[in-house]
Each structure stands twice: as C-alpha cells, then as structure tokens.
Amino acid sequence: MKKDYQTHVFTSTYTADVSGVCSAMYELGGMSVLHDPSGCNSTYSTHDEPRWYDSDSLMFVSGLDEITAVMGDDSVLIRDVVKAVEDLHPRFITLCGASIPHIIAFDYRGVAYLIEKECHIPVLPVPTDGLKSYVSGVDLAFRAFVERFCDPLEYQEDFRDRINLLGVTPLDFSVNQNVAMMRKTFEDAGFIINCCMAMGDSFEQMTHAYRAGCNVVVSSAGRKTARFMNRTAGMPYVEGLPVGPQIASALISMIRETIRDRKVRRIEADAAMDSAELSRTGGILVIGEEIFAKSLTAAVNGLPPKQRDEAAAYAMWPDPEEGIAEEDLIPAVRKAKIVIADPLYKVVCREGAPERFIAFPHEAYSGRIFRKEIPVFAGTEFSAASMLNR
Amino acid sequence: MKEYQLIKETDYEYNADLGLSYASPVRGVWNIVHIGTLVPESHEIFVCPTSCLRGVVLTTAEMEAMDRLSTITVGEDNILEGDMEEALYRGTVRIIRELPVKPRAMLIYTSCIHHFMAVNYKRIYRLLEKEYPEIDFIDCYMDPIMRRTAPAVPSLWRQIHRLLTPSEKNTRQVNLVGNCFPYGPYSDLNYLLEREGIRVMDLNTCRSYEEFLQMSRSVMNFVFHKTGIPAVKDMKVRLGQDWMLARPGYNYDEIDADLAQAASLLEIPPFTREEIEEERRRTDQSAAEALEVLRKTPVSLDYTAVDRPLELCLYLDKQGFRVESVFIDVFTESEEIFQELKKRLPDLKIYQSLGWNIRQMKRGHEGKVVSIGQKSAYFNDTDYFVNIVENDGMYGYRGIRRLMELLKEAALSRKPMKELVQIKGWGCSCG
C-alpha cells in the first residue's frame, strides 16, 4: 500500500519553500515579493524570521485575490511592484509564490522580465509552489542569485584557502552563535570564508561566490546551488557540518582533499550502519535537516560505545517534497533508545518509548517556540557526549 | 510617499488592502485556529499546501494544543491526479482511527487551492457523516483568496454555529455570537439581561460540547462585531433565532437605543431614564479622571483594539483628549462619523498598517504617547499602551468606563511592548 506522507495526525510541519526564499534573501538589500493571497507573509515573519522585528528588510505579499487569479491578470502584480519599487528603491527583487500561482501556471520568468523592464533593477524569478519545504526554497533562491549575479569565470583552481559556506539561514542555524562558531572553526583551520551564503555577508561578497576553491554545503538547502556551481565552473563541494571537534576535523580534511582533487565528498552518518535494521531494533535516532542529522549522527557514532549507551546512532530527515511519513516516524521514535529531535516531535512519544528524548530545537520545524533553547551546535566547542549526558 | 496622510486629505473610500502588503510583527488579533479551538471537544483538520499549514500548525503548537489539530497536506499528485477527495477521505478516516479520544465535532478546513481544483468535499463530508454518526462534521475555510467577497473569519463564525440544530426554544435564554472574549462585567447588555434572570450563553464560556449545543435553544442572538453577522443571519434562517447588532461604539444615544431595543425584543424592562442619566454621569466622570492623568499626552489608537476606531477618536476628542493618530487599513464605520471627525480633527494622522511604506518608517514618537492597541504601540514604539484586541469584552457605558481605566493604567505604567505584541492570539484561553 502506498505510504501516506500527507496525513499528519500528531506532528507539525517544516516550513515551506516560500519562507526559505525570503530567509535566504533577507540580508542582501533586495525586496522579496511573495505572490500569494495572504498568510504566507505573516507566517514567515512570525514563525520563521527571527530578524523581522529589529530590522527593516523588505518582504511583501502580493495580496492575490480571486478575480485577479481567475482572470490571470498579472498586470496587477506588475503595477504594485513597480509602485513599491519607486518608493523603496531595493537593490533587486526576488519573485516567488505559493500554491495559487502554481495552479494557475503563473509565468515567473515572463513577469520578472516585465517588472525588470519597468523598474530597471534585476528581478529574480524563483518558481516556488508552496508545496515543498524550505530546503527547496532556500536552494532555488541561492541558485537564482548565483546564476544572475555571480561570474563562473572568476573561479580558479588556486583558490586553495578560500571556501564558501552554502545553505546558511536562520531556519537551520537560528540567530545564536552558530554561524559565528562555524566560521571560526574554518578560519582557525586556516581557511578564508569567501562568502557565507547568506548570513553576515554583503551583496557584494556574495556576487564573488566563485572566488573560492570549494563550497562547503552545511545544510541540504545549499546542495543544488553547489551542484550548479560545480556544473558551471567545476567548483567542487563537500557536504558536512562541523558539529564538534571530531567531525570538524574530518570535514576540514575532506575540504583539503577536495580542493586538491576536486572530488565531491560528504560526511556520512556511518556507512557501516544499517538504518533500517537500527530502526527495527532501537538505537539513537537523530531527526533533523539532512546534513545536520547525518553530521550529528556521525559525531555520536564517533564516541566510545560507553558514552553513547552502547547504542549506535542513525539519522532520519524530511524529504523536501514529502516530509516524513508518520508511519515511518512513529515506530522509529518509539523503538529508539534515545531520540534527539525538535521538542515538537515529543508528541509521538509514549511512556518509556523512547527511553530518553533529547530536545534539540530546530527553527525550521518549531519556529520561534523554543528559539531560546537552540544550542550552539556548529563548531568545535560542541560536544556530542555532553549532549547525550544532558 | 509619507507613511501617513492627514484625515483632511483622505477620502472615505480609503483602502490600504491594495498593492503589496506588509505583515508587522504585531500578532494579537485572533486567527481562525484560535476561534475554531473555542468549540469544546472538537478537533480541527487543515487540508492545505505546506505553505498554508505552517502558520496554523505553529499557532496551535504555541497554544500547546497540538492534540486538537491534524493536517492533510495537499501534494502535487492531488493537483495532477485530481484525487483530493480521496486524500481528504482517507486522511480524515486515519485521523479518527488514530486519535486517542474521538472528538465530538470535526472542523475540516479546506483552502484557496481547493476552489481551483473544484473539489467536491461535500460528498466526502456526507460519507463521513454516514460512517461516523457520533461525530459532527463541519466544512470550514481558510481561503484568503476569497477575502474580498467571503472573508474567512465571518465564514468561520457562521460554520461553527452550523453545528447547532433546531430545537425547542427557551424564552429566558439568549446567545452572544462572534466574540473572541467573554462579555460580562464590562458589558451593559449582559447587565441588563442578567438582572432580569436571562441566561446568557456564549461559545467562549461553554465548557463542554453538550453545553455548546444548548445554544440552539436560545430565543435571540446578539452580535457585537460585524464579523459575527453572517452567523446570526444564518441562525435566523436555520434555527429561527432573531438577532440584533449591539453596536460597539461610543455614542451615548446609540448605546441607549440599542439597549432599549434589546429590552423591547425580549420583553423585559429597559433601563430607566434615571439609570441612563446616572450611567452617563459616571462615564463622563471616568473619562474626566483619565484625562486628568493623561492631560496633554497625545493618544494614538488602532483598529485591532476596537471595532470603531474613528468613533473612539471622536469620543476622546469630545472628552478633551489630544488624539493624534489612528492606524487603520479600511474605513468600516459610517461616512457620517468620518466626516464629523474630519471637521473636528482635520490634522488627525491616518496610518495604514499594511502598506509597503510603513515597513521602513522610523518607528517611534517624539515625547510620550499613549496607545490604544498593539499596532499603534508598535509603530509608535511605546511601552505606554492599552493591550487589548477586538474590544476585549467591553460594551456600552461599562465598556467605556473600563477603557478609561485601562487608559489611565497605560499612561501610568509601562508594559513590555516588544514581548506582548508578538504573542499570537492575545488572551486566547485555549492554550
């Protein structure tokens, strides 16, 4: 029988692609326009954007209404965007949208072209559909940015000490010290961060993304961008997140090797572990964004058996299109000895199953609810052993 | 372009819900999830794409009410295959099967996309009704694409009350319909009814589904907010309950007229001339006391706090307050009020809270300002504010006196504005 990914009796949902786009572009001086009736913008600004209150970055909803959608009257959106641009003077515009533009076959590329013609500033069409997770939206946005503003000819093989961090948004890293610690980890190893896409760096820095020897994909939300840069300039990439000193060290070695031989590498949870077997027999279940979950799992599996309750860890992550089916999730959670996951997953626990639940809040899942409790997991100061002893 | 315009330069047809919209961090106004959760022993199912689900799920999670909500995600397959009905049916059956306790009612929300998919959800509800006769199913809508013709909140109030079925009437029982907050000590209508021993029912105060169903026995529905009108009109047709709008304003003559009408409809004694005079005297005194505290401190207010912001501006101005600005996105009050205000206070600043220009406005105020409402407090960046939404259970003279008390308090003590205004669904007791 077909697996039911759609029904969520108990669990929450990861944030959507549209929030991913807005989050990715937030610090770059542009204006994000979300083509949607209403709601997606307040959801983003309330639950997904910790920078919203204290800054004035531009993100608006188009306020698509029934008659405009039925008539396919794109001139309304074009007129409204042009008016806003006249007043606000953004550097560029990002045009994304939710399910209604998708179902009425809204022409992102065509409308972007028409707006650009009137406003004389770049317009990036990012054809989201509101059906997928933020991982897809962040990636589409970054790829559109790179495609439009970055020059693949800038890439040179001798950028041996320069790296980019891809997939960086508060949805995965929040606004605590994660990004700073991650940067520090690589800088301490002798690397220069060419650009951190896209937290803490300027539009100009981002436009020179090809001036690096390697992309480090620290969240799966940067994967397609890395592949695109690999395809367009041959720039290699490594997937992994430095959660603690061991993984950081392994990742840094991988980056050096990759810069040398230009082969794609990634931190795996543990190639020797059979996840299916572990989900049947228990173990330490890590749930979260793919690269985070795999890296943390590897960090746990790297501990001496005594420090991890003699159990092996395995990772579970949401598919950007389907999420996690409860029929997979619930048995896995209840069979596990220890579960490391966002606190909202606790709802599927039963008494004594799992034996322990270690709360690890994730902004893209529980939004602002547990923001203050999000740990600093990126960098060498994080300790998987201490986390297990919490 | 300025973030505001003066009322003297503004037309009555002003509407900020045009063009690109901005969402401020102010989140006190209730949304459909908060309202739906008022139905005791019910369970909400949202059938939407991920982007729409996120907001409702986290609203519920913030209320710590995740056991009251499930979701069915609309996927690409449903769009391509046209099997949304099957997904809705299968999902609902699974939810019923897996919930630890069967709910008494299920509120199933479909969204904008379903209008375009031509989903025959009524067929599914009929099947579910047959299969689970012990559960009441009701179709609800989260479809902001229809907001110009059928906005979601009025529609939800109507749908919720469709759970009620015709029954024998009790002439000593009435309902208050369409309120996020219980009405009681700060409502003249409640005082009038309760002193005559009439039972006043309100969804807000129902503790069980059975109690909620008792609302069908009421002889009369009172509604304070315009958003409740579709519900009471529908109840008139389906349940034979008369209805009356108790206008939530600040005009003493209007308050008297509404209370007299309520008494007449229920055939109970109205307030006497002496009682009315006493109420007016006490209310004026209360306003004078608030004025004594505020003196020349400017006052700013917004539409999220009260239903009739222009009328409140007018009232405060007549009472001697220095009214400076109002945050409002569309005029829903009469043109008469608007024109009178324009004459009395031509330099009143009208701010739209949705417009793109306000995103980069320099929030703040030179000198102290007291705000009534969260949006006004946020944009003025003031900790001196009355923290209410949707009238907060205030109606009539008692309501005005309560508001004057809150205004005094607001002028005298600071509140942690940044923290308070970001709480979703202010005062929602479902959590």
Side-chain angles (χ1 to χ4, degrees):
Chain A
M1 199 179 148
K2 202 176 151 193
K3 202 174 275 183
D4 181 4
Y5 282 98
Q6 291 181 270
T7 310
H8 295 265
V9 184
F10 306 105
T11 52
S12 179
T13 179
Y14 282 89
T15 196
D17 48 12
V18 284
S19 285
V21 174
C22 299
S23 185
M25 296 308 202
Y26 195 82
E27 297 183 9
L28 302 177
M31 177 172 97
S32 296
V33 177
L34 212 165
H35 196 28
D36 180 62
S38 172
C40 289
N41 58 328
S42 57
T43 294
Y44 166 69
S45 61
T46 307
H47 299 289
D48 299 330
E49 187 44 82
R51 299 163 292 189
W52 191 248
Y53 192 101
D54 294 311
S55 63
D56 61 3
S57 181
L58 303 175
M59 187 284 294
F60 304 107
V61 71
S62 65
L64 180 63
D65 61 21
E66 182 197 10
I67 193 75
T68 312
V70 169
M71 301 303 287
D73 185 1
D74 299 335
S75 67
V76 175
L77 173 70
I78 297 168
R79 187 196 60 212
D80 291 346
V81 173
V82 171
K83 260 194 198 167
V85 168
E86 279 167 10
D87 286 336
L88 300 169
H89 311 293
R91 182 163 216 159
F92 66 99
I93 297 165
T94 307
L95 181 61
C96 63
S99 59
I100 300 303
H102 177 60
I103 203 165
I104 61 172
F106 175 72
D107 179 3
Y108 284 92
R109 206 173 264 272
V111 170
Y113 171 78
L114 292 173
I115 296 172
E116 186 162 334
K117 217 170 133 188
E118 291 219 30
C119 296
H120 309 292
I121 56 168
V123 183
L124 307 184
V126 182
T128 45
D129 55 21
L131 305 174
K132 303 183 184 74
S133 88
Y134 73 102
V135 167
S136 165
V138 171
D139 223 350
L140 284 173
F142 284 153
R143 201 178 57 179
F145 185 95
V146 170
E147 198 170 355
R148 180 67 193 256
F149 297 117
C150 305
D151 181 0
L153 295 176
E154 284 194 326
Y155 173 66
Q156 290 171 23
E157 282 178 40
D158 57 358
F159 288 135
R160 296 192 166 271
D161 55 350
R162 300 170 74 88
I163 57 170
N164 296 324
L165 306 180
L166 298 192
V168 185
T169 67
L171 294 168
D172 284 321
F173 295 92
S174 195
V175 283
N176 57 12
Q177 287 299 301
N178 270 319
V179 177
M181 294 308 286
M182 184 160 61
R183 291 181 82 114
K184 185 177 179 301
T185 300
F186 292 117
E187 282 164 355
D188 287 350
F191 290 111
I192 295 165
I193 309 295
N194 176 58
C195 90
C196 177
M197 204 174 276
M199 284 177 79
D201 278 350
S202 66
F203 177 90
E204 283 74 18
Q205 275 169 289
M206 291 266 296
T207 60
H208 297 298
Y210 281 103
R211 287 187 190 170
C214 177
N215 278 320
V216 183
V217 181
V218 292
S219 154
S220 53
R223 182 179 282 149
K224 282 183 184 161
T225 311
R227 285 182 184 158
F228 175 78
M229 293 173 80
N230 184 262
R231 207 166 57 239
T232 49
M235 189 170 173
Y237 65 95
V238 170
E239 290 184 2
L241 180 63
V243 280
Q246 282 79 19
I247 299 302
S249 165
L251 186 59
I252 286 160
S253 302
M254 275 186 185
I255 296 168
R256 291 206 171 105
E257 277 180 68
T258 290
I259 289 174
R260 246 192 325 271
D261 64 12
R262 298 173 70 191
K263 282 187 183 155
V264 172
R265 290 181 171 78
R266 55 182 58 89
I267 296 280
E268 292 294 352
D270 190 330
M273 299 288 165
D274 179 345
S275 293
E277 178 61 23
L278 276 169
S279 74
R280 279 194 294 277
T281 59
I284 301 172
L285 171 62
V286 180
I287 307 172
E289 179 280 319
E290 181 183 346
I291 290 178
F292 159 82
K294 283 179 174 173
S295 301
L296 185 60
T297 300
V300 172
N301 285 332
L303 295 171
K306 258 195 172 170
Q307 285 187 22
R308 49 181 163 86
D309 279 13
E310 309 289 339
Y314 63 108
M316 185 178 253
W317 59 89
D319 180 273
E321 295 202 19
E322 313 290 353
I324 301 180
E326 281 191 356
E327 57 197 85
D328 290 335
L329 175 79
I330 294 174
V333 166
R334 292 182 187 167
K335 284 224 169 104
K337 207 168 182 183
I338 301 172
V339 171
I340 303 166
D342 186 279
L344 286 187
Y345 279 111
K346 235 179 175 169
V347 72
V348 298
C349 296
R350 288 290 172 263
E351 211 179 321
E355 285 174 28
R356 280 172 64 207
F357 186 96
I358 298 174
F360 212 112
H362 181 194
E363 190 111 16
Y365 194 62
S366 55
R368 62 184 184 173
I369 302 175
F370 308 104
R371 187 173 289 153
K372 286 181 184 153
E373 294 145 48
I374 295 176
V376 178
F377 53 83
T380 49
E381 287 178 23
F382 175 77
S383 159
S386 307
M387 173 196 66
L388 286 173
N389 286 329
R390 259 193 348 225
Chain B
M1 187 179 160
K2 282 188 301 192
E3 298 89 5
Y4 66 85
Q5 56 197 89
L6 301 178
I7 195 169
K8 66 183 175 196
E9 299 159 352
T10 308
D11 294 329
Y12 180 64
E13 289 71 29
Y14 161 94
N15 184 352
D17 184 16
L18 293 170
L20 300 186
S21 280
Y22 155 67
S24 79
V26 178
R27 301 261 59 99
V29 172
W30 287 34
N31 64 29
I32 52 175
V33 181
H34 299 111
I35 294 170
T37 321
L38 288 174
V39 181
E41 301 174 61
S42 69
H43 194 83
E44 294 180 278
I45 300 178
F46 281 82
V47 190
C48 321
T50 304
S51 57
C52 316
L53 284 181
R54 174 75 171 168
V56 295
V57 169
L58 288 190
T59 297
T60 315
E62 289 188 356
M63 290 157 69
E64 296 180 19
M66 281 297 280
D67 56 340
R68 305 270 317 264
L69 171 131
S70 300
T71 61
I72 300 170
T73 314
V74 176
E76 189 78 43
D77 291 357
N78 303 129
I79 299 171
L80 297 174
E81 305 293 333
D83 63 350
M84 194 64 241
E85 287 91 343
E86 286 78 358
L88 174 55
Y89 175 78
R90 276 197 311 270
T92 307
V93 167
R94 197 183 127 195
I95 291 164
I96 295 170
R97 195 176 62 229
E98 293 188 16
L99 281 177
V101 179
K102 254 190 211 165
R104 291 292 309 275
M106 286 192 125
L107 281 63
I108 304 179
Y109 297 76
T110 48
S111 63
C112 303
I113 199 167
H114 296 102
H115 293 293
F116 292 82
M117 293 164 77
V119 177
N120 187 1
Y121 48 80
K122 296 243 161 141
R123 179 186 140 230
I124 304 307
Y125 300 146
R126 276 198 297 274
L127 290 174
L128 290 166
E129 277 160 12
K130 265 189 203 160
E131 214 158 316
Y132 302 97
E134 68 281 21
I135 299 175
D136 295 334
F137 294 91
I138 198 80
D139 52 319
C140 299
Y141 304 89
M142 182 171 75
D143 51 357
I145 198 153
M146 305 296 289
R147 70 192 184 287
R148 300 204 195 280
T149 48
V153 169
S155 153
L156 179 59
W157 283 120
R158 183 194 61 214
Q159 295 305 103
I160 283 176
H161 290 89
R162 281 194 176 169
L163 289 163
L164 305 176
T165 50
S167 62
E168 209 176 300
K169 297 288 174 280
N170 173 357
T171 53
R172 305 293 290 169
Q173 181 181 303
V174 300
N175 298 327
L176 306 184
V177 173
N179 306 314
C180 295
F181 299 96
Y183 278 66
Y186 308 120
S187 160
D188 290 340
L189 181 66
N190 287 61
Y191 177 75
L192 175 74
L193 299 172
E194 283 162 5
R195 80 174 183 178
E196 292 303 319
I198 289 176
R199 186 184 184 200
V200 181
M201 296 203 69
D202 189 331
L203 175 59
N204 271 284
T205 53
C206 291
R207 292 288 156 248
S208 68
Y209 191 66
E210 280 307 316
E211 190 183 349
F212 165 63
L213 293 180
Q214 292 297 309
M215 286 177 74
S216 63
R217 301 191 66 230
S218 295
V219 71
M220 177 94 195
N221 291 317
F222 290 97
V223 62
F224 297 103
H225 306 280
K226 281 185 177 171
T227 48
I229 291 177
V232 289
K233 281 185 173 171
D234 191 68
M235 290 159 89
K236 165 79 181 160
V237 174
R238 288 189 319 99
L239 307 175
Q241 293 170 327
D242 279 328
W243 68 277
M244 189 196 124
L245 173 68
R247 293 168 288 185
Y250 307 90
N251 177 322
Y252 292 172
D253 292 338
E254 207 174 69
I255 295 169
D256 295 340
D258 283 355
L259 291 169
Q261 191 193 349
S264 155
L265 287 167
L266 291 167
E267 297 173 357
I268 58 172
F271 286 128
T272 62
R273 199 63 245 164
E274 292 72 31
E275 281 176 312
I276 290 170
E277 288 308 322
E278 177 60 9
E279 289 296 335
R280 288 185 174 208
R281 190 195 61 74
R282 287 178 62 197
T283 308
D284 284 340
Q285 190 187 331
S286 163
E289 284 167 12
L291 182 62
E292 185 59 28
V293 173
L294 270 82
R295 294 175 182 269
K296 289 289 168 197
T297 309
V299 175
S300 171
L301 56 101
D302 74 61
Y303 74 94
T304 66
V306 293
D307 278 28
R308 296 192 164 194
L310 297 185
E311 204 177 308
L312 181 56
C313 287
L314 200 56
Y315 178 78
L316 292 173
D317 179 58
K318 284 179 180 169
Q319 294 289 341
F321 291 87
R322 194 179 143 204
V323 186
E324 191 182 78
S325 62
V326 58
F327 290 77
I328 190 167
D329 292 316
V330 63
F331 297 140
T332 56
E333 296 161 72
S334 72
E335 185 164 5
E336 199 186 329
I337 303 269
F338 170 76
Q339 296 299 354
E340 194 182 345
L341 193 59
K342 203 169 173 170
K343 250 185 224 156
R344 285 188 68 102
L345 270 174
D347 291 330
L348 180 73
K349 291 175 184 167
I350 308 279
Y351 287 86
Q352 42 175 274
S353 72
L354 286 175
W356 64 81
N357 275 290
I358 208 153
R359 171 57 168 157
Q360 292 192 330
M361 117 178 207
K362 197 171 177 304
R363 292 192 300 113
H365 191 274
E366 206 172 303
K368 184 176 174 180
V369 59
V370 178
S371 286
I372 301 174
Q374 297 186 339
K375 283 205 172 181
S376 165
Y378 169 73
F379 287 112
N380 282 302
D381 200 18
T382 179
D383 287 342
Y384 297 101
F385 75 110
V386 177
N387 188 23
I388 55 168
V389 295
E390 302 197 24
N391 286 355
D392 198 21
M394 294 183 254
Y395 171 73
Y397 296 109
R398 282 169 179 74
I400 297 173
R401 293 202 291 272
R402 169 67 177 162
L403 185 60
M404 292 303 124
E405 281 303 309
L406 294 174
L407 195 54
K408 267 197 299 189
E409 274 174 38
L412 293 171
S413 55
R414 288 168 176 267
K415 293 185 183 75
M417 185 271 290
K418 183 176 177 181
E419 189 186 311
L420 292 175
V421 301
Q422 292 189 78
I423 296 170
K424 245 184 165 178
W426 176 250
C428 178
S429 56
C430 325

